[in-house]
Amino acid sequence: MREIRDPVHGFIHRSSVEEEIIDTPLFQRLRKIKQLALASMVYPGALHTRFDHSLGVMHLAGRLSGQLLNDNDDMESIRIVRFAALLHDVGHGPFSHVSESIVDKFYDKEKVTLTTDKEKIHEIITYELILHDDNLTKLLGERLQEQIVGVLKGEWGERILKDIISGPLDADKQDYLLRDSYFCGVKYGIYDIERLIDTMDVKRDMDERVLAISADGVHTLEQFVLAKYYMTTQVYRHKIRLITDSMIIRAIELGITKDKIDYLCKLYTYDGSPEFLKEWLKWNDEVLVTTICSDQTPQGYCKHIFQRLTERKLFKRIFTKRIGDFKNPVIRQRISEEFKKFSKDIESAIGMHIGIDPFLVIANKFTIQSVREQSRNSEGSILVLQGNTPDIFEEESLLFRSINEAEKDEFLEVYAPIVFKGDKDKKVRLREYSEQIEVLIENVIKDSGEEGNNESI
Amino acid sequence: MKASEVFLLMLGEAGGTMRGKTLIQKKAYFLNVLLDLGLPYNPHYYGPYSPELDNSIGKCKALGLVEQKTVGFGVDEETGFEKKRFDYTLTADGQEVLRDLERRKPDEYKKIKGCLEKLSRAGDEDYVSLSIAAKTYHILKESSTAIRPDEVANEAKQFGWEISQGSIDKAVGFLSEMGMI
């Protein structure tokens, strides 16, 4: 076992095969994809990458496996889980999650058919890269590659393997909360990881093992869930981060649909071909920004927005409202459920009203889950081992039982390239915008009938 | 229909109030199976669970369309803590949204309403027997095993839950009534 010094976990040990995987171009590319896109605009230290995060996830997946998988025949599962953890992010495109929504939107619908609503293009890219990378085939062999993808999909092995890789207490979250806290210089994501892992346990469910925690671990788990909640409100949904992510997405979407930039169309139109994967691997954060801002790219929306980003001339938030605070309940429900249908019309109405090109007006809806929901993730409630019958964590925790679930909130915000003439002007105009934009939004939805306009760009 | 719309409709059909999240999850599970609504369900120790539906419950609360009431029902013998259940009631705003849905999506509304009536006729609002029925049905369907009454009973006994024979019989009766075994 060789070791790497990591600022979050100390020494991370890796096997010789893991070391060779780390040295492949597929994995080394992650050094150039930042974990939190442009969060460094608000937290200057947030320059860490998917590379160090992936090493951390492998390390933690190994620790969790060691704690939970103790049968004699578990050795191979542990090896596969560590590989899966190491490779789980290799499909990330420039600016990490920002690329996900774009590639999910622009894939070639004639050539690629999704079998379920749950399938996401960016996940398919990860699976394809793992399955077809020649270096990985040489190191692992096809069978192992398929098993690794099977674990990532939750289709290979017992449920406990999926719990380690993508459950409510998975190695991914355990790493990113601590890592993002460390690099952002905040303390919101800190929790007692040693105690948490120590209290993780296994419960048998029919012929499978599933993850649970012992009753002693409830308070540590409360700390972990609260860490996730605070990181969401203070870092992941920070105003500046929402604006920069929205600007990148809008720039690339306009680059594809309006500026018709060839390399962007090629980059984001997933068609299932080996050529697409080859092209995808050429791009990272820096290459994308440099290329867009270079002479190679003609003047247009995309270049304009990226130049603003590099100069930190960010769009301003001109409207923010809890969706639950709109007066009309039908409007509330329709914004919440059908926002995509109306977003283009909302942006057009606002743009025309305030005299800004509607393509540069961004309406953004986002959610902050309640603390109780944070504990469940998308995989279901965590089991607490208490007597013969396991309990559900939210019921077992005195703290969480008393927290009102209504803390979940959905927000609608609007960003635009507005320039304010000082604080007084800002205060007056924001008050005006707030009142006017609310009416505009309500009118768009009332006038839309059932259809709306779902072609947002 | 969206998960939140299905949830509102279930509440409306239940007379405005439903008792407990488990009952909501399991009733929606059968609605999903019978009408192919496309709600993703994951396996869970206490039976199939839809995170999307669960999120929708929180969403409807945040939007002021439903109210949540915490109801205590006895004390857990092992821990000494009070057992709690969350009941949900449509608010006046929620009823207005429901009327709007009925107006805008009459066909889907009618289809779901019909199926809910059938589910209600097949069994009472017992969340334990519905959970048994949902979990056994989910396991047997996933493993492509023939779903017979004896199989359902055998599976249920292996859950590790504290369940009575009466609940198992009710689960079997419910699935039979629905024509699912």
Side-chain angles (χ1 to χ4, degrees), chain A residues 239-455:
Chain A
K239 180 180 87 170
I240 300 298
R241 181 148 197 261
L242 291 171
I243 292 174
T244 53
D245 278 5
S246 300
M247 286 175 71
I248 301 172
I249 292 171
R250 179 56 54 93
I252 296 172
E253 286 181 348
L254 289 171
I256 294 169
T257 58
K258 298 293 164 202
D259 303 337
K260 313 273 184 205
I261 300 170
D262 279 348
Y263 63 80
L264 284 181
C265 298
K266 208 170 150 192
L267 176 60
Y268 285 102
T269 312
Y270 174 74
D271 59 2
S273 69
E275 290 74 30
F276 173 89
L277 297 179
K278 216 171 153 185
E279 183 68 19
W280 187 250
L281 292 178
K282 288 180 191 165
W283 294 84
N284 56 52
D285 299 4
E286 198 186 318
V287 172
L288 189 72
V289 176
T290 313
T291 310
I292 288 174
C293 293
S294 73
D295 293 340
Q296 182 190 333
T297 305
Q299 286 300 334
Y301 287 111
C302 181
K303 191 169 189 170
H304 169 72
I305 298 173
F306 263 89
Q307 280 169 338
R308 288 188 69 115
L309 281 166
T310 57
E311 293 163 15
R312 207 185 183 282
K313 288 182 182 162
L314 305 183
F315 287 10
K316 299 284 187 290
R317 184 173 71 186
I318 59 169
F319 178 80
T320 180
K321 195 172 179 78
R322 273 187 71 237
I323 295 175
D325 287 341
F326 280 85
K327 284 188 199 99
N328 182 327
V330 173
I331 298 283
R332 294 203 288 269
Q333 195 261 349
R334 297 198 73 185
I335 296 174
S336 174
E337 290 294 358
E338 304 171 76
F339 174 68
K340 276 188 186 168
K341 270 188 188 175
F342 308 121
S343 60
K344 187 189 172 191
D345 290 340
I346 288 172
E347 288 164 357
S348 297
I350 297 170
M352 278 160 61
H353 184 78
I354 63 175
I356 299 267
D357 182 342
F359 288 128
L360 299 179
V361 174
I362 304 173
N364 181 31
K365 189 195 86 156
F366 64 95
T367 304
I368 294 180
Q369 287 185 320
S370 71
V371 187
R372 290 173 66 96
E373 280 176 328
Q374 301 270 349
S375 74
R376 287 193 292 269
N377 195 27
S378 57
E379 304 301 325
S381 308
I382 298 164
L383 296 174
V384 178
L385 299 177
Q386 178 88 304
N388 294 330
T389 315
D391 286 327
I392 300 292
F393 165 69
E394 304 141 70
E395 311 304 319
E396 187 62 29
S397 158
L398 274 180
L399 176 68
F400 278 65
R401 277 195 298 177
S402 61
I403 291 175
N404 191 327
E405 190 143 20
E407 297 310 317
K408 175 189 183 117
D409 263 333
E410 284 188 303
F411 296 87
L412 179 56
E413 297 194 337
V414 179
Y415 318 124
I418 296 284
V419 180
F420 296 113
K421 298 171 199 152
D423 287 347
K424 198 178 164 193
D425 175 54
K426 184 178 173 182
K427 210 172 163 184
V428 172
R429 283 169 71 189
L430 284 180
R431 197 185 310 125
E432 285 171 6
Y433 287 151
S434 181
E435 289 162 9
Q436 294 159 356
I437 289 174
E438 184 171 344
V439 175
L440 288 170
I441 291 169
E442 291 189 354
N443 287 344
V444 165
I445 294 171
K446 279 178 193 160
D447 296 344
S448 70
E450 188 51 35
E451 295 307 314
N453 185 346
N454 59 8
E455 295 300 320

Side-chain angles (χ1 to χ4, degrees), chain A residues 118 205-206 332 334 336-337 372-373 376 378 380-381 386-387 389-390 401 404-406 408 450, chain B residues 4-5 21 42 44 46 49 51 54-55 59 61-63 78-79 82 86 93 100 104 135 155 162:
Chain A
K118 262 179 136 179
D205 183 12
M206 313 288 283
R332 294 203 288 269
R334 297 198 73 185
S336 174
E337 290 294 358
R372 290 173 66 96
E373 280 176 328
R376 287 193 292 269
S378 57
S381 308
Q386 178 88 304
T389 315
R401 277 195 298 177
N404 191 327
E405 190 143 20
K408 175 189 183 117
E450 188 51 35
Chain B
S4 67
E5 296 170 349
K21 277 190 173 182
N42 297 331
H44 190 268
Y46 287 113
Y49 162 86
D54 203 48
N55 280 336
K59 187 188 278 190
K61 272 185 64 191
L63 294 175
E78 280 178 25
T79 62
E82 191 188 12
F86 298 113
D93 283 355
D100 177 66
R104 286 191 296 117
K135 183 160 177 171
E155 287 288 328
E162 287 172 5

Side-chain angles (χ1 to χ4, degrees), chain A residues 72-116:
Chain A
N72 290 333
D73 50 0
D74 278 336
M75 290 309 290
E76 185 61 5
S77 295
I78 294 176
R79 204 165 79 99
I80 293 169
V81 164
R82 281 182 63 102
F83 287 144
L86 184 64
L87 294 167
H88 81 287
D89 269 353
V90 291
H92 270 281
F95 297 108
S96 293
H97 294 297
V98 169
S99 276
E100 291 175 2
S101 63
I102 304 169
V103 82
D104 284 340
K105 181 172 177 177
F106 289 104
Y107 73 94
D108 188 332
K109 276 101 186 160
E110 283 176 12
K111 291 185 182 161
V112 180
T113 311
L114 298 180
T115 47
T116 65

